[in-house]
């Protein structure tokens, strides 16, 4: 591998790649190290900036998506905040804590090199037996940065790297098609939801209005897109929007179930007792087994409400799997109020299909039916792993693959075999902002040597226990989601940081009130 001539300057101890929610949280917690944050775009906010439509809203209430030391200005507003409000909130947070001074905008990291010598790699292995994959001293990582799309790369050196580029945005996941059945056959326009996000209001209206549009997917972005498409096609000239749905997931209209707040079922310490978690005692495992009918009952109770409230059966949208499996894999989406109103008017048509491909005038399905289309929008998700692999060097690139498809991260942050590197924003929970913030607090203490990591072997053991729990809880376990044992996960992190893991004032609120970021304010 040809190396650049002289060693680049060591500008700071820590580099952070990405200034989305996780990057900003990490920069604030690590601010005493004066980190350098490389952000490819010209603003903070990540996917909230680059992957949002006009109708994109948060999936949870304001107070569930809030930093522990910075409340929303209007936190009791019951509406779900729009992406514009979220960007405002993130901007205010960054300004309040003076985080923007660390950010280099329009600076895209295109390559990362590990320059620790062989000795360093051996040292990590050894340190792993009784210490940590965090090495003292000299710079370990070099980063190539492209500024403002210029041809010249500038190299920098750092001792520690925090990767916050996330799983979403940048690299779209495009379905594969048999030859002669791909987008090249189609006379209309094909775009991925990431391309749609880049259009302004006028351009989206021109794209959708009076056109036969097909939206592929049934996750949050696909549902939002179908509603936007239906709203653009009101009136006699309007065309129906067809949604092509392969995998069904449960959707919820709001966070109340038969008059009870949703958090009671999954987000309190008492409710999480019903669910299996890693490192359970024999008593805990027995209790979990005895309470399993109750756990299934909760899932059925919620399903009964959703089937009563939403016309899922009428439209063939009732999933075959229990509600709990979607919750346990962080895949539950909020259904916009007007989705079924538009479906009832015939403005949204739902088509279930396991296989489909393009033909000249639209889309064809495996049951030999066809749909005419002018525009096909693929809301088929993103390839986060490919994004990570594009910058990571070998041998680390191969290490982020894991047989189960999940990147093995201890506490959702440290890869036991990658030295001096952390990942923030790769583990999902009910509130990804809270998850990123707590992991950033934990990481800052780790970097400051307030505690030591377990051995590599013990870290890998913890990761495999978490994966095993996910595998048993949901068929969608390939997503690293800790929602059914998030409180337990936070407890273990608090203990490592030397904090008290019970965060509430009384045992009653400890058992039955929801846990959120406000419970994890700083302890010195």
């Amino acid at each position: 591998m040809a190396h650049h001539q002289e060693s680049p300057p060591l500008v700071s101890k820590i580099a952070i790649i990405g200034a989305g929610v996780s990057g900003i949280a990490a920069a604030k917690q690590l601010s005493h190290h004066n980190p350098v944050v490389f952000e490819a775009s010209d603003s903070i906010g990540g996917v909230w900036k680059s992957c949002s439509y006009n109708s994109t809203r948060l999936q949870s209430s304001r107070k569930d998506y809030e930093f522990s030391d910075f409340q929303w200005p209007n936190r009791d507003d019951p509406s779900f905040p729009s992406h514009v409000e979220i960007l405002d909130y993130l901007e205010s947070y960054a300004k309040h804590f003076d985080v923007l001074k660390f950010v280099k905008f329009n600076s895209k990291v295109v390559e990362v090199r590990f320059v620790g010598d062989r000795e360093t790699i051996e040292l990590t292995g050894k340190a792993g037996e009784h210490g940590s994959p965090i090495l003292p001293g000299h710079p370990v990582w070099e980063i190539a940065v492209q500024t403002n799309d210029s041809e010249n790369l500038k190299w920098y050196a750092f001792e520690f790297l925090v990767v916050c580029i996330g799983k979403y945005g940048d690299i779209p996941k495009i379905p594969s098609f048999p030859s002669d059945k791909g987008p090249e056959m189609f006379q209309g326009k094909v775009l991925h939801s990431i391309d749609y996000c880049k259009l302004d209001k006028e351009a989206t209206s021109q794209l959708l209005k009076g056109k036969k549009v097909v939206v592929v997917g049934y996750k949050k972005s696909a549902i939002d897109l179908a509603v936007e498409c239906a709203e653009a096609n009101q009136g006699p000239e309007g065309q129906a929007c067809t949604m092509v749905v392969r995998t069904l997931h449960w959707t919820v209209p709001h966070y109340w179930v038969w008059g009870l707040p949703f958090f009671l079922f999954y987000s309190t310490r008492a409710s999480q007792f019903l669910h299996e978690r890693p490192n359970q005692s024999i008593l805990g495992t027995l209790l979990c087994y005895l309470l399993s009918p109750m756990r299934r009952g909760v899932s059925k109770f919620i399903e009964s409400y959703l089937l009563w409230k939403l016309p899922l059966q009428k439209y063939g949208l009732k999933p075959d799997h229990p509600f709990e499996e979607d919750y346990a894999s962080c895949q539950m989406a909020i259904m916009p109020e007007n989705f079924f109103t538009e479906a009832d008017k015939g403005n949204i048509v739902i088509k279930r299909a396991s296989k489909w491909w393009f033909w000249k005038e639209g889309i064809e399905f495996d049951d030999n039916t066809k749909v005419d289309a002018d525009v096909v929008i693929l809301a088929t998700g993103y390839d986060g792993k490919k994004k990570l692999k594009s910058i990571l060097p070998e041998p680390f690139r191969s290490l982020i693959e894991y047989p189960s498809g999940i990147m093995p991260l201890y506490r959702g942050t440290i890869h036991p075999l990658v030295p001096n590197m952390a990942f923030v924003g790769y583990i999902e929970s009910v509130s990804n902002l809270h998850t990123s913030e707590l992991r950033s607090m934990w990481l800052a203490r780790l970097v400051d040597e307030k505690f030591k990591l377990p051995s590599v072997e013990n870290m890998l053991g913890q990761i495999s226990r978490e994966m095993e729990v996910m595998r048993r809880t949901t068929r969608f376990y390939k997503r690293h989601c800790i929602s059914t044992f998030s409180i337990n996960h936070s407890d273990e992190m608090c203990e490592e940081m030397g904090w008290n893991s019970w965060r509430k004032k009384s045992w009653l609120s400890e058992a039955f009130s929801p846990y959120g970021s406000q419970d994890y304010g700083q302890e010195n």
Side-chain angles (χ1 to χ4, degrees):
M1 180 166 74
H3 210 284
H4 45 289
Q5 294 316 297
E6 70 272 16
S7 288
L10 180 65
V11 280
S12 169
K13 178 177 175 169
I14 294 178
I16 296 171
I17 308 178
V21 172
S22 304
I24 291 300
K28 192 258 174 179
Q29 298 299 333
L30 291 160
S31 59
H32 54 293
H33 290 289
N34 291 317
V36 178
V37 183
F38 296 103
E39 168 52 48
S41 75
D42 59 2
S43 65
I44 65 168
V47 288
W48 286 112
K49 183 77 180 172
S50 61
C51 299
S52 297
Y53 323 140
N54 299 321
S55 61
T56 305
R57 291 187 166 277
L58 185 62
Q59 292 280 287
S60 48
S61 74
R62 284 158 221 269
K63 27 176 167 319
D64 290 337
Y65 198 83
E66 181 174 75
F67 290 106
S68 59
D69 48 8
F70 193 76
Q71 295 194 348
W72 276 84
N74 46 350
R75 71 195 299 254
D76 292 323
D77 179 342
S79 68
F80 295 120
S82 69
H83 64 103
V84 179
E85 288 177 278
I86 290 165
L87 285 171
D88 279 351
Y89 173 68
L90 293 174
E91 286 275 349
S92 313
Y93 174 79
K95 285 193 180 116
H96 181 79
F97 291 108
D98 201 15
V99 170
L100 295 174
K101 67 180 179 201
F102 303 126
V103 185
K104 284 183 184 290
F105 290 109
N106 300 308
S107 301
K108 185 178 168 63
V109 172
V110 288
E111 193 184 338
V112 168
R113 282 183 182 154
F114 183 66
V115 289
D117 43 34
R118 187 171 298 273
E119 198 182 316
T120 314
I121 296 184
E122 282 169 8
L123 177 69
T124 10
K126 287 201 188 87
E129 290 159 28
H130 50 79
S132 102
I134 292 193
L135 308 173
H138 55 32
V140 179
W141 292 101
E142 291 179 359
I143 292 182
V145 178
Q146 183 183 26
T147 313
N148 291 323
D149 295 333
S150 75
E151 288 303 298
N152 304 332
L153 294 185
K154 200 166 174 197
W155 285 84
Y156 300 87
F158 297 92
E159 287 177 29
F160 196 92
L161 204 49
V162 187
V163 180
C164 302
I165 54 177
K167 300 198 248 189
Y168 305 106
D170 301 331
I171 300 185
K173 221 184 238 170
I174 306 284
S176 50
F177 301 97
S179 57
D180 302 339
K181 290 183 175 178
E184 69 285 348
M185 299 299 297
F186 176 53
Q187 293 169 345
K189 190 174 169 62
V190 180
L191 65 165
H192 187 271
S193 53
I194 195 167
D195 308 309
Y196 181 88
C197 294
K198 296 188 175 102
L199 305 173
D200 60 26
K201 214 162 184 166
E202 202 173 314
T204 58
S205 164
Q206 278 176 342
L207 178 75
L208 304 173
K209 208 175 170 120
K211 306 276 194 355
K212 299 189 186 90
V213 181
V214 171
V215 174
V216 179
Y218 187 58
K219 290 277 178 64
K220 180 67 187 141
S221 56
I223 293 169
D224 282 349
L225 260 170
V227 171
E228 274 195 27
C229 177
E231 285 171 349
N233 278 295
Q234 300 293 325
E237 289 82 59
Q239 299 279 354
C241 167
T242 306
M243 252 191 122
V244 177
V245 180
R246 193 182 64 176
T247 309
L248 288 177
H249 291 288
W250 288 96
T251 54
V252 300
H254 45 68
Y255 286 113
W256 290 86
V257 175
W258 296 122
L260 297 169
F262 195 87
F263 70 74
L264 277 181
F265 304 107
Y266 290 108
S267 308
T268 65
R269 202 175 273 285
S271 65
Q272 292 210 334
F273 258 111
L274 299 178
H275 302 276
E276 193 185 345
R277 58 179 186 266
N279 310 317
Q280 245 173 348
S281 63
I282 294 173
L283 193 65
T285 310
L286 182 67
L287 193 65
C288 205
Y289 175 72
L290 293 173
L291 294 174
S292 58
M294 194 167 163
R295 186 175 70 238
R296 284 193 292 273
V298 166
S299 201
K300 284 268 181 281
F301 181 72
I302 295 172
E303 288 162 36
S304 71
Y305 176 75
L306 299 176
L307 292 170
W308 170 76
K309 185 79 183 163
L310 303 172
L312 299 177
Q313 278 171 314
K314 173 182 172 184
Y315 288 105
L317 293 175
K318 176 186 180 287
D320 293 332
H321 56 267
F323 173 82
E324 184 195 350
E325 292 197 33
D326 278 338
Y327 187 83
S329 54
C330 298
Q331 297 202 94
M332 179 186 84
I334 288 274
M335 184 58 89
E337 275 172 30
N338 45 351
F339 181 87
F340 287 114
T341 323
E342 293 299 338
D344 289 342
K345 286 193 230 159
N347 294 339
I348 298 176
V349 175
I350 291 145
K351 169 77 188 172
R352 293 285 314 280
S354 52
K355 288 203 174 72
W356 60 275
W357 49 88
F358 288 93
W359 65 293
K360 197 170 68 186
E361 288 172 37
I363 276 186
E364 190 174 350
F365 302 102
D366 52 358
D367 61 0
N368 297 329
T369 56
K370 290 180 173 179
V371 168
D372 291 352
D374 303 311
V375 179
V376 175
I377 307 179
L378 304 170
T380 45
Y382 298 95
D383 195 336
K385 207 159 270 175
K386 198 169 178 183
K387 181 160 71 158
L388 210 48
K389 285 181 160 178
S390 69
I391 62 165
L392 274 188
E394 284 297 4
F396 308 112
R397 190 181 300 161
S398 337
L399 294 175
I400 65 167
E401 277 293 1
Y402 204 65
S404 69
I406 304 174
M407 186 161 60
L409 293 177
Y410 178 71
R411 301 291 177 230
T413 312
I414 296 286
H415 191 304
L417 302 172
V418 184
N420 283 37
M421 185 182 275
F423 299 83
V424 181
Y426 284 83
I427 184 170
E428 293 181 73
S429 73
V430 186
S431 167
N432 290 333
L433 180 146
H434 162 53
T435 307
S436 292
E437 186 189 30
L438 187 58
R439 271 143 204 74
S440 299
M441 291 173 176
W442 179 88
L443 179 63
R445 277 161 182 71
L446 178 66
V447 169
D448 293 343
E449 298 182 13
K450 299 261 175 75
F451 67 93
K452 278 196 161 58
L453 288 172
S455 67
V456 168
E457 200 180 346
N458 287 351
M459 287 194 281
L460 289 169
Q462 171 68 18
I463 295 164
S464 60
R465 287 191 294 277
E466 282 175 25
M467 289 187 184
E468 194 47 42
V469 168
M470 287 184 273
R471 207 171 59 77
R472 284 204 287 265
T473 314
T474 173
R475 67 197 66 191
F476 310 111
Y477 64 89
K478 290 196 173 167
R479 299 165 64 93
H480 198 170
C481 170
I482 55 167
S483 58
T484 54
F485 56 92
S486 59
I487 297 175
N488 170 257
H489 201 271
S490 301
D491 285 353
E492 291 180 351
M493 290 177 78
C494 285
E495 282 157 20
E496 275 176 327
M497 291 192 279
W499 290 9
N500 185 356
S501 57
W502 283 42
R503 315 291 301 165
K504 306 276 192 190
K505 300 274 187 289
S506 69
W507 68 266
L508 201 65
S509 54
E510 191 61 67
F512 301 110
S513 66
Y515 255 91
S517 52
Q518 295 306 318
D519 296 305
Y520 295 93
Q522 297 285 11
E523 282 190 20
N524 296 319

